[in-house]
Amino acid sequence: MSLIIAAIRSGTDPVGPLPPGSFHRTLEDPIYCPKCAATYMLVVDYDSAISRHFEDNSRRHLSILRKAVMLGHSTDHRTSHFETNGVIVTSHVAPKPVPLPPIPPHIM
C-alpha cells in the first residue's frame, strides 16, 4: 500500500477525499508558510502513521508538500487541500463563493 499524506489548510474543510483508511491521524508537526499565517495540518491513515518506518517513508512526501505550500503563497493560499503519494501533488481548490447581488434600497 502506498503512503498518501494530505495537507489541509487550518480553518477549512478538506475539498477532496482524505487518504484511504478506516481512521485518520493528524500529525503533530503542521506545515507553516513562513511568509504569512497559513498553516496546513497533515493527515495520514492511522496504520501508516504508527508504522515504525513512517519517518523514513514520509520524508519525501513531507518535503514535496512543503514545497507545494511555499509555492501556494504566490496564489494567496487559495488551495485549501494538497495531497501527495510522494511523486505528484494534487491541489484541491475550494470553489469561489458566489457574490450576492446588492440589496435594493427600497427593501431596506
Side-chain angles (χ1 to χ4, degrees):
M1 182 171 125
S2 66
L3 177 64
I4 297 174
I5 300 177
I8 303 165
R9 190 166 36 119
S10 63
T12 65
D13 291 326
V15 178
L18 291 177
S22 303
F23 298 99
H24 293 97
R25 181 174 182 186
T26 302
L27 301 180
E28 293 177 10
D29 297 327
I31 296 177
Y32 299 104
C33 179
K35 296 181 179 181
C36 60
T39 302
Y40 288 80
M41 307 308 291
L42 299 170
V43 177
V44 66
D45 74 279
Y46 185 78
D47 290 336
S48 296
I50 63 169
S51 165
R52 65 179 174 171
H53 301 291
F54 178 73
E55 190 173 323
D56 293 332
N57 294 340
S58 65
R59 188 170 290 132
R60 179 177 176 158
H61 296 71
L62 296 176
S63 67
I64 199 166
L65 282 172
R66 280 188 191 95
K67 184 175 181 179
V69 167
M70 299 311 152
L71 293 174
H73 183 74
S74 63
T75 60
D76 296 327
H77 294 286
R78 286 190 309 248
T79 303
S80 64
H81 180 171
F82 293 103
E83 182 178 292
T84 185
N85 64 3
V87 180
I88 298 172
V89 174
T90 304
S91 302
H92 300 280
V93 181
K96 287 186 177 182
V98 178
L100 297 173
I103 299 174
H106 68 279
I107 292 180
M108 297 175 111

